[in-house]
Amino acid sequence: GEDAEIWTVALARLHEVAGCCACAATRLPADLPSLIAVLRLVDVFLLDSIDGDVFRALCDAASAVAALAASSGEAFLEAALELLRLGRLQPLLGAWCLSGGEAMAPPVALLLKAGGPLAREALGSRGVVAFVASTRFLGSLSEERLSPGGAIASLAKADALGVLLRCTSWDWLRDHRFLAQLLDDESLLPLLQIPGLRNELSHQRFRSPELASALAPFPVLFNELLKAWLCCSQGGCAVPASELALWSDVDKFLRHDEPLLDEQLRCASAEDLCAFARAAPLERRPAVRSSLRARLE
């Protein structure tokens, strides 16, 4: 059976180290469970002379790790628990993250989601922390990374959102839906204190009137973003008339320290002004009506 095969490999390897002729039986298996089985024998029977060979083979097994995680998350977690028991998981995770690239994102996400000792062991590795804060990890995950069972939510559950302070690129954040998810989950709000993320949110891809209600409880952030998105004299851009009409129905937009509506109307063409006049809430927003009249005079 499998146990006999593992014993054959271990003993043949041991004999080779002792000076006997090399043979095919001495080749270590390539799949992760079998390598761990050999490592278990090494640990139980103190086969120190082949310990280094087995550990090096495990270090080089990033592709096998990714394949196992892809085929069976449960089997991968079982393997990780066994490596944890053997005291080898943390150094192996660092090696795998270094060599495995984006393929290691799903296995690491599984460890974080598992929580408990597996997540703690993973986050105790400097290699894993560097990987988690990189676009190799964050950029390769699905749009559900912020969902309750997603990778970033798992970091929050482990009280480890500070890992993302090391993130140097936030272009993996797609659009305003990310910000809506973040603002809707209290456990993720500490992310707003990360300077790099806060600065990234000023990018135009996050601009959307749909965020008005979600941003209302965060007046300072809302003010910052409105200025960055919509103040033409401060680097903002002119927006389509249909979008401007939606913004003109937002109190925070109309009462901003900067005359955002006036600036937008000043940049608008005659065609845009006509489109805005048709779509804007002129009846219930006297301030909007006044700004439009002033622009047309």
Side-chain angles (χ1 to χ4, degrees), residues 28 31 46 55 58 69 82 89 93 108 117 120 136 144 152 183-184 208 221 231 234 237 246 258 260 270 281 294:
L28 290 169
D31 64 290
L46 303 178
F55 186 72
L58 280 163
E82 180 64 9
L89 180 59
L93 286 174
V108 170
R120 286 195 297 272
R136 290 179 300 153
E144 297 174 351
I152 295 179
L183 296 172
D184 191 49
S208 173
L221 176 63
C231 185
Q234 299 289 331
C237 67
L246 294 174
E258 301 288 340
L260 299 177

Side-chain angles (χ1 to χ4, degrees), residues 154-176:
S154 297
L155 287 174
K157 189 175 180 180
D159 196 25
L161 286 176
V163 165
L164 297 181
L165 282 167
R166 301 173 56 126
C167 186
T168 58
S169 175
W170 298 88
D171 55 6
W172 51 273
L173 303 176
R174 303 290 186 255
D175 54 34
H176 70 280

